Amino acid sequence: MAVIALAGGLGAPGVTTSAMALLMTWPLAEGHRVILAEADPDGGAILPGALQGTLGNTHGLRNLAIAARQGQLVEAFWRQLVDVTDAGSRDRLVLPGLYDPAHSSAMEPVWQPLARLFSGIEGHGHDVLVDLGRRGAFGPSAVLAQRADVVLVVARSTLRSLQSAQVRLEALRESVGGSVEVGMLLVDEGPFSKEEVRKTLGVPVTAVLPWQPKEARVLSDGAEQPRRFESGALMRSARSAAVRVRELVAMRRSRLAPPAGPVEGRVVGHAR
């Protein structure tokens, strides 16, 4: 179980759409769940987008700010989660973001305990995807990136998007230090290849999603699914991306694991 944060740069690189694609394709063992927390200080897009305004403003981060002042953050968190599965299985859940960016200041005391909550619920069989948007990896909400296992910078493979990502990557490395794995999730819209991006930016490209506007609108705006959406290029690539991200988490956990000590009653390097 893990915490994976996604962050973007200037423009609209596709952070929320990519996060939704991972949410819907995340491999789940029996009894496990995955949560997408929309923690963009500039406001959320899932309530009016993928959920098409069906819930109004009844769920979301702002309610957690109110609950935190009453010492009820943990209890309120579980009540704010929205099931996005057609079957109502509650194994793929969304915490909607702020519906008004003006409310972001009220969240400042909440980011730290929310980051601890995300880190702690993995014992319940939950993975957490955190959508940090353009600004969320820096400032008061940066703790969500600093306490993640992996931070993925989402960018389109265009010059404008990659230049913005380069600046963000430099600041992000300084912010999270060496304990967090940093990679890129590339949306393949422009002329630059995965290998060119890796060499130029000096960061591994963890996964690539195809530029598929029609399929993407299903995830970003709740548009009607085209034929064979689940087996289409976007969702196939998202499944591969999810597997690769989980592998990156495992690598990070292995790297940070304390070295195994000598087995009691044995001398290291000698067989009995």
Side-chain angles (χ1 to χ4, degrees), residues 74 77 86 92 104 110 139 148 212 225:
V74 176
F77 171 78
D86 292 334
R92 301 181 191 274
S104 61
V110 183
Q212 296 280 333
Q225 292 188 11

Side-chain angles (χ1 to χ4, degrees), residues 65-141:
I66 297 171
R69 290 197 294 269
Q70 301 168 347
Q72 299 177 355
L73 174 65
V74 176
E75 297 85 349
F77 171 78
W78 299 107
R79 293 196 298 268
Q80 296 305 311
L81 300 179
V82 178
D83 186 1
V84 292
T85 62
D86 292 334
S89 58
R90 292 195 64 81
D91 55 5
R92 301 181 191 274
L93 303 163
V94 167
L95 172 64
L98 300 170
Y99 60 86
D100 185 344
H103 298 152
S104 61
S105 59
M107 289 297 300
E108 291 189 10
V110 183
W111 297 126
Q112 186 77 248
L114 193 60
R116 289 197 298 268
L117 174 62
F118 290 162
S119 299
I121 64 175
E122 68 170 321
H124 297 278
H126 292 65
D127 288 313
V128 183
L129 305 168
V130 186
D131 176 359
L132 294 173
R134 181 173 61 89
R135 292 192 302 122
F138 307 97
S141 56

